[in-house]
Amino acid sequence: MAGVNKVILVGNLGADPEVKHLEGDKVVANLRLATTEAYKDKMGNRVENTEWHDLELWDGQAKIAEQYLKKGSQLFVEGKIKSDTWQDDQGNNRKRTKIRVLSFTMLGGRPDNAGGGAPQGGGYSQQQPSNVSTPSAVSEGPQEEDDLPF
Amino acid sequence: MAGVNKVILVGNLGADPEVKHLEGDKVVANLRLATTEAYKDKMGNRVENTEWHDLELWDGQAKIAEQYLKKGSQLFVEGKIKSDTWQDDQGNNRKRTKIRVLSFTMLGGRPDNAGGGAPQGGGYSQQQPSNVSTPSAVSEGPQEEDDLPF
Amino acid sequence: MAGVNKVILVGNLGADPEVKHLEGDKVVANLRLATTEAYKDKMGNRVENTEWHDLELWDGQAKIAEQYLKKGSQLFVEGKIKSDTWQDDQGNNRKRTKIRVLSFTMLGGRPDNAGGGAPQGGGYSQQQPSNVSTPSAVSEGPQEEDDLPF
Amino acid sequence: MAGVNKVILVGNLGADPEVKHLEGDKVVANLRLATTEAYKDKMGNRVENTEWHDLELWDGQAKIAEQYLKKGSQLFVEGKIKSDTWQDDQGNNRKRTKIRVLSFTMLGGRPDNAGGGAPQGGGYSQQQPSNVSTPSAVSEGPQEEDDLPF
DNA sequence: TTTT
DNA sequence: TTTT
């Protein structure tokens, strides 16, 4: 046992959040986050490397993402790696990896769509149910998701 | 052995950097960084808690800090905890803790004092001395990334 | 605001935990953790550098620390920097920095004092009340501590 | 821009390292690391969830992995997410995600195969290539800053 | 004061 | 496939 599985990202959204409202008040948001690093290669030329991450947020966080995030938003994200495995049509083992977000913080200036009372720049974590509108959804969300068969 | 000593901060500078140019081309910058967390107390009132961190940067990073950072700048910082211990006048053991910065990244929008070639939004790490040693590299390096289409 | 204040440590305890049982079922444990890094200096000599960290754990985690940790235990720790400030007898401003532990994991082999059902190697976090004996204390603990006058 | 892409793992190897010696003195090691988390579900039953990570190490680190790591080894790992994308035979876009290891630390007790001078418990980072190939190079690395007078 |  |  004794496991630690932690991911920390700072990057920008490549698109607006995709949010699905599921039965039972559950909400899931999928985000595409780009983290770019720049360095000089052996020839001294500047090289830029962008990694795209698939983020998954649930319930309270998903609602906040839906309300405040959009393409270009700069985020600090903390989460864990979580992969789905399955067999495709040809019977091949397939695996898809995503980042299950545990908390995130909007960075930079006030977003365009944020009203006066907006939580711009605040931190939203699954452990702080007070941050979100429906406390019950918060406590249910993350655990159920862990019951999936993989 | 087997030690890990890692600090990750996102916050804002409480003052302009204090930079000292020492003999032998060494430079040290001291920054005051505030990290604020907000939560609701038992009465449901919003409470805000600010922790102030003393950051220390050396040489190339110190020069970049001197050039581009100022009061209010938002930073991502990675470093390690490092404490000084000494005896004061009364012979009491004293200890002062600071964060030795290993890399930092400027967050948020383009700073006021950044010219056209400013490295706003770039990452500066001790492991990439090329970023810091030559002024031209600084202004060239991470700058272009702002042109990404999101 | 947009704050992140995160500390990650792997090290060994320099002494057995110091545990205080306070009124109202509150428990606090103080640990001394050493993180050691080794490197070679310019002369090629191996140099060892040890940083000592003051850790503070509350309630459920404090009880687990009391029960399972001892001098020499190897730990993974996640927490945040938290400093107390006050004025000493001479009216000087003083500051003391510690690590408020949010979760920890025992590393390495089974400890001597662990029985068959011991949670050795498990992870103990404030967010997983199931880990500790009195659920009520868990939810109260961390928030109250933030109400302290500093 | 302003990217951060950081992964921190503590887990155990599911198999011995797979090491390939490539042309030009390059070496790559692939590891399978399990991170396990345990929690109680709604019924109060203990549930265990294991995530398997594909780690990739190069050159000096790969050699150390080959020499000292084996099935069951407990590791602290720091790295970044790195994905390969390609098209399969059917022309479908495919993606595979792995962890590019930047540094790792062996945890726990002395391994069976470690001799007297073994680096058990030490830290091995990419920034200190010297750690592995040429002992003398160690003195040159990025650690010199610790010689500064503070 | 830990650990190797 | 690890670990407890």
Side-chain angles (χ1 to χ4, degrees):
Chain A
M1 233 287 291
V4 172
N5 174 359
K6 183 171 293 294
V7 175
I8 288 172
L9 306 172
V10 174
N12 298 82
L13 294 187
D16 291 344
E18 289 185 12
V19 183
K20 278 174 267 186
H21 292 261
L22 311 177
E23 53 185 331
D25 257 339
K26 299 202 71 60
V27 190
V28 61
N30 289 283
L31 311 181
R32 291 275 289 164
L33 185 86
T35 58
T36 304
E37 61 176 334
Y39 59 95
K40 290 217 167 58
D41 65 14
K42 294 175 186 172
M43 314 304 292
N45 302 314
R46 188 170 178 278
V47 183
E48 208 171 76
N49 226 347
T50 295
E51 179 76 27
W52 286 96
H53 308 270
D54 294 311
L55 310 185
E56 189 179 86
L57 297 78
W58 284 87
D59 301 330
Q61 292 187 340
K63 291 175 189 166
I64 294 174
E66 184 176 33
Q67 192 172 3
Y68 296 108
L69 301 184
K70 61 176 188 178
K71 182 174 172 173
S73 296
Q74 189 183 33
L75 298 186
F76 173 95
V77 168
E78 186 177 345
K80 60 181 173 185
I81 295 174
K82 210 158 184 322
S83 52
D84 299 340
T85 55
W86 74 97
Q87 286 199 330
D88 65 14
D89 303 344
Q90 283 77 34
N92 303 313
N93 288 321
R94 297 286 304 276
K95 184 180 187 179
R96 179 178 166 275
T97 298
K98 58 178 184 281
I99 309 298
R100 176 74 171 76
V101 175
L102 299 176
S103 73
F104 72 90
T105 296
M106 288 182 256
L107 302 174
R110 182 173 294 274
D112 298 350
N113 61 336
Q120 180 274 329
Y124 307 100
S125 92
Q126 152 187 68
Q127 299 90 352
Q128 300 172 347
S130 56
N131 278 332
V132 295
S133 42
T134 57
S136 64
V138 172
S139 54
E140 285 174 3
Q143 290 299 69
E144 261 177 19
E145 199 253 344
D146 279 325
D147 293 333
L148 294 177
F150 50 78
Chain B
M1 230 285 290
V4 173
N5 174 0
K6 185 172 291 295
V7 175
I8 288 172
L9 306 172
V10 174
N12 299 81
L13 295 187
D16 291 343
E18 289 185 11
V19 184
K20 277 174 268 185
H21 292 260
L22 311 177
E23 52 186 332
D25 257 340
K26 298 206 73 61
V27 190
V28 60
N30 289 283
L31 311 180
R32 291 275 289 164
L33 186 86
T35 58
T36 305
E37 62 177 333
Y39 59 92
K40 292 214 168 57
D41 65 14
K42 293 176 185 174
M43 314 305 289
N45 302 315
R46 186 169 180 281
V47 184
E48 209 171 74
N49 225 348
T50 295
E51 179 76 27
W52 286 97
H53 309 269
D54 293 313
L55 311 185
E56 189 180 85
L57 297 76
W58 284 87
D59 300 329
Q61 294 187 339
K63 291 175 190 166
I64 294 175
E66 184 176 32
Q67 191 170 5
Y68 296 109
L69 301 183
K70 60 175 190 180
K71 182 174 172 174
S73 296
Q74 189 183 34
L75 297 186
F76 173 95
V77 169
E78 185 176 347
K80 61 182 172 184
I81 296 174
K82 210 155 186 322
S83 53
D84 299 337
T85 55
W86 73 97
Q87 285 199 332
D88 65 13
D89 304 343
Q90 283 77 35
N92 303 313
N93 288 320
R94 298 286 304 276
K95 185 181 187 179
R96 179 178 166 272
T97 299
K98 58 176 182 286
I99 309 298
R100 176 74 172 74
V101 175
L102 298 177
S103 73
F104 72 91
T105 295
M106 288 181 256
L107 302 173
R110 184 173 294 277
D112 298 350
N113 61 336
Q120 180 272 328
Y124 306 101
S125 91
Q126 163 187 58
Q127 296 90 355
Q128 303 172 344
S130 58
N131 275 337
V132 294
S133 46
T134 62
S136 65
V138 171
S139 53
E140 283 175 3
Q143 140 77 349
E144 282 161 23
E145 304 139 19
D146 270 340
D147 296 330
L148 292 179
F150 52 77
Chain C
M1 222 292 296
V4 173
N5 174 358
K6 183 171 292 295
V7 176
I8 289 173
L9 305 173
V10 174
N12 299 82
L13 295 187
D16 291 343
E18 288 186 12
V19 184
K20 277 175 267 186
H21 292 260
L22 311 176
E23 53 186 330
D25 257 338
K26 299 202 72 58
V27 191
V28 60
N30 289 283
L31 311 181
R32 291 278 287 165
L33 186 85
T35 58
T36 303
E37 61 177 333
Y39 59 94
K40 292 220 167 56
D41 65 15
K42 296 175 186 175
M43 312 306 291
N45 302 314
R46 187 169 180 281
V47 183
E48 208 171 76
N49 226 347
T50 294
E51 180 75 28
W52 286 98
H53 309 269
D54 292 312
L55 311 184
E56 188 179 86
L57 298 76
W58 284 87
D59 300 329
Q61 292 187 341
K63 291 174 190 168
I64 294 174
E66 183 175 33
Q67 191 171 5
Y68 296 108
L69 301 184
K70 61 174 188 180
K71 182 175 173 173
S73 296
Q74 189 184 32
L75 296 187
F76 173 96
V77 168
E78 185 176 345
K80 60 181 171 184
I81 295 173
K82 209 156 189 321
S83 53
D84 300 339
T85 56
W86 72 99
Q87 286 199 331
D88 65 14
D89 304 343
Q90 283 78 33
N92 303 312
N93 289 321
R94 298 287 304 276
K95 184 180 186 180
R96 179 179 166 274
T97 299
K98 58 177 184 280
I99 310 298
R100 176 75 170 75
V101 175
L102 299 176
S103 72
F104 72 90
T105 295
M106 288 182 255
L107 301 173
R110 181 176 291 278
D112 298 351
N113 61 337
Q120 182 273 329
Y124 308 100
S125 92
Q126 151 188 70
Q127 299 90 352
Q128 299 172 346
S130 55
N131 279 330
V132 295
S133 42
T134 57
S136 64
V138 172
S139 54
E140 288 176 0
Q143 289 298 70
E144 264 179 20
E145 198 253 341
D146 279 324
D147 294 333
L148 294 177
F150 52 80
Chain D
M1 221 288 291
V4 174
N5 173 0
K6 185 173 290 295
V7 176
I8 288 172
L9 306 172
V10 174
N12 299 81
L13 296 187
D16 291 343
E18 288 186 11
V19 184
K20 277 174 267 186
H21 292 260
L22 311 177
E23 52 185 333
D25 257 339
K26 297 204 72 62
V27 190
V28 60
N30 289 284
L31 311 180
R32 293 277 287 164
L33 186 85
T35 58
T36 304
E37 61 177 334
Y39 60 93
K40 292 217 168 56
D41 65 14
K42 294 176 186 173
M43 313 305 290
N45 302 314
R46 188 170 179 279
V47 183
E48 209 171 76
N49 225 348
T50 294
E51 180 75 28
W52 287 97
H53 309 269
D54 292 313
L55 311 185
E56 188 179 85
L57 297 77
W58 284 88
D59 299 330
Q61 293 187 339
K63 291 175 190 166
I64 294 176
E66 184 176 32
Q67 191 171 4
Y68 296 108
L69 301 184
K70 59 177 191 179
K71 182 173 172 173
S73 295
Q74 189 183 33
L75 297 186
F76 174 95
V77 168
E78 185 176 348
K80 61 180 171 184
I81 296 175
K82 210 160 186 318
S83 52
D84 300 336
T85 54
W86 73 97
Q87 286 199 330
D88 65 13
D89 305 342
Q90 283 78 36
N92 302 312
N93 288 322
R94 298 286 304 278
K95 184 181 188 179
R96 178 177 167 275
T97 299
K98 58 177 183 282
I99 309 299
R100 177 75 169 74
V101 175
L102 299 177
S103 72
F104 72 90
T105 295
M106 289 183 256
L107 302 173
R110 182 175 290 277
D112 298 351
N113 61 337
Q120 181 273 331
Y124 307 100
S125 90
Q126 167 188 54
Q127 296 90 355
Q128 304 171 342
S130 40
N131 272 342
V132 291
S133 45
T134 61
S136 64
V138 171
S139 54
E140 291 177 355
Q143 292 292 55
E144 278 165 21
E145 336 137 12
D146 278 321
D147 295 331
L148 295 175
F150 52 83

